[in-house]
Amino acid sequence: MRQVIIIGSGPAGYTAAIYAARANLEPLVIASSVEVGGELMNTTEVENFPGFPEAIMGPDLMAKMQEQAERFGAEVLYQDVVSLDLDGDVKTVTLGNGETHQAYSVIYATGSAYRKLGVPGEERLSGRGVSWCATCDGFFFRERTIAVVGGGDSAMEEATFLTKFASKVYIIHRKDTLRASKIMQERAFANEKIEFIWNSEVADILGDEAVNGVVLRSTTGGTTRELPLDGLFVAIGNDPRTHLVHDKLELTAEGTIWVDGRTSRTSVPGVFAAGDVIDPTYRQAVTAAASGTVAALDVEHYLAARGEAALPESDVAQIDGLPDAATVGA
């Protein structure tokens, strides 16, 4: 019987594993067979994660997180979860190979997936000019010509943010009106660096080693043309990976897992959630890691209250109120 099983191997999952392992909870991390490391595995240089002033490659960062978790005793399985039984005091996790694992608690940290265009060149040039995160990658496009695909608030926000770096930002939208709120539209329309391309969709992304343009298709006439670009940002939404917990955990209006305030506690006792799967707004590696910390501490507290694990007095102090003098700076 495990103390805790962590489902997911992104920044939230591995950070939770580090904290849980250091608390001697011997966590089992179900890392997936094909998506180990989460979305950062598709990122090249990560410059905004604290501690790496010279930047670090996304896959390298996740490998270091996994190594750190395993150093403290976490066990990682490269399998996919196919079903969950979260009722009762003991939770059961069933894997694709037929194995079942049981634990007194579960941390659900499966992240979210950016919606993709599904066009040629998108996968091949991911991280080489194709991006789904302006705050992550905008810095690399100083004085370049780029485009944002989308018509909602996220697309307007990303395009406006990208004008801090790029010399020109196109917004490509398949209709002639936007879904974005009025204030977000006004900001985009007022920005002299932004130009709208209406009634158009991306049919192909061009480039060998890096993006050098896109093929645009008219949504009204079907004609095509090429648009030279240095980068393409896709902002058509994302979907939290909650398919395993539909009808098991309470969800929010945004489709993320509901948690109690700033905690990681879900609607089911003993089940905790962390990272992008609970965050419809920020979706950054560092906020996911912080969320994983919260989940691990909440699990410690939960298990200690049930008598399943001993919680150090210093950790109780930090969870229940202000840290005592011995914990400050730890």
Side-chain angles (χ1 to χ4, degrees):
M1 178 69 66
R2 299 274 181 172
Q3 300 290 336
V4 57
I5 293 175
I6 300 169
I7 303 172
S9 57
Y14 277 142
T15 303
I18 291 167
Y19 272 76
R22 290 184 75 248
N24 295 321
L25 299 181
E26 300 179 342
L28 175 65
V29 180
I30 311 298
S32 173
S33 62
V34 294
E35 296 178 334
V36 180
E39 292 296 323
L40 278 184
M41 298 300 287
N42 300 318
T43 303
T44 52
E45 290 186 332
V46 178
E47 292 192 321
N48 55 3
F49 198 90
F52 298 95
E54 303 301 324
I56 183 171
M57 300 294 285
D60 292 339
L61 176 60
M62 299 319 302
K64 286 182 179 293
M65 284 190 177
Q66 178 177 344
E67 181 182 351
Q68 190 172 0
E70 290 178 321
R71 173 194 167 199
F72 294 116
E75 180 184 352
V76 178
L77 286 183
Y78 302 107
Q79 294 289 335
D80 298 305
V81 178
V82 294
S83 67
L84 296 169
D85 183 353
L86 303 178
D87 295 332
D89 291 338
V90 175
K91 319 301 180 185
T92 301
V93 178
T94 302
L95 306 182
N97 63 0
E99 291 181 1
T100 60
H101 296 268
Q102 293 185 318
Y104 294 114
S105 63
V106 167
I107 295 176
Y108 196 83
T110 52
S112 64
Y114 293 110
R115 293 176 190 161
K116 297 183 178 181
L117 298 172
V119 301
E122 184 175 25
E123 295 290 344
R124 177 171 54 84
L125 294 170
S126 173
R128 295 175 171 81
V130 176
S131 175
W132 290 264
C133 181
T135 55
C136 305
D137 300 327
F139 179 83
F140 300 113
F141 293 88
R142 289 188 179 275
E143 301 305 316
R144 302 291 183 90
T145 299
I146 59 180
V148 175
V149 181
D153 279 356
S154 294
M156 301 306 108
E157 184 175 4
E158 297 239 320
T160 302
F161 174 81
L162 288 167
T163 60
K164 296 180 180 180
F165 309 102
S167 58
K168 179 77 172 183
V169 179
Y170 293 101
I171 295 179
I172 302 168
H173 189 42
R174 58 183 295 107
K175 298 180 179 180
D176 59 2
T177 57
L178 299 170
R179 302 187 311 275
S181 61
K182 184 177 180 181
I183 188 170
M184 296 301 295
Q185 292 189 44
E186 290 175 348
R187 289 175 183 172
F189 288 139
N191 195 309
E192 60 183 13
K193 286 188 176 182
I194 294 177
E195 179 179 335
F196 285 83
I197 300 177
W198 303 104
N199 296 317
S200 299
E201 61 185 4
V202 175
D204 195 0
I205 303 174
L206 307 175
D208 294 324
E209 299 299 321
V211 171
N212 60 30
V214 296
V215 175
L216 296 179
R217 179 191 299 120
S218 169
T219 56
T220 56
T223 57
T224 61
R225 66 183 178 97
E226 291 189 10
L227 176 68
L229 292 174
D230 300 303
L232 183 72
F233 287 79
V234 181
I236 56 176
N238 68 353
D239 298 302
R241 294 188 174 102
T242 58
H243 60 283
L244 289 171
V245 295
H246 287 178
D247 301 323
K248 298 180 185 295
L249 300 178
E250 183 178 342
L251 304 180
T252 68
E254 293 89 356
T256 55
I257 295 175
W258 175 90
V259 291
D260 184 11
R262 297 184 64 186
T263 77
S264 64
R265 296 190 297 268
T266 70
S267 56
V268 174
V271 180
F272 305 82
D276 287 7
V277 79
I278 68 170
D279 177 11
T281 306
Y282 300 104
R283 299 192 301 272
Q284 299 295 303
V286 69
T287 54
S291 181
T293 302
V294 171
L297 293 175
D298 284 346
V299 164
E300 286 185 65
H301 200 202
Y302 171 78
L303 294 174
R306 294 184 74 253
E308 303 296 348
L311 186 65
E313 291 183 3
S314 60
D315 284 351
V316 173
Q318 292 185 67
I319 296 171
D320 288 342
L322 293 174
D324 57 29
T327 65
V328 174

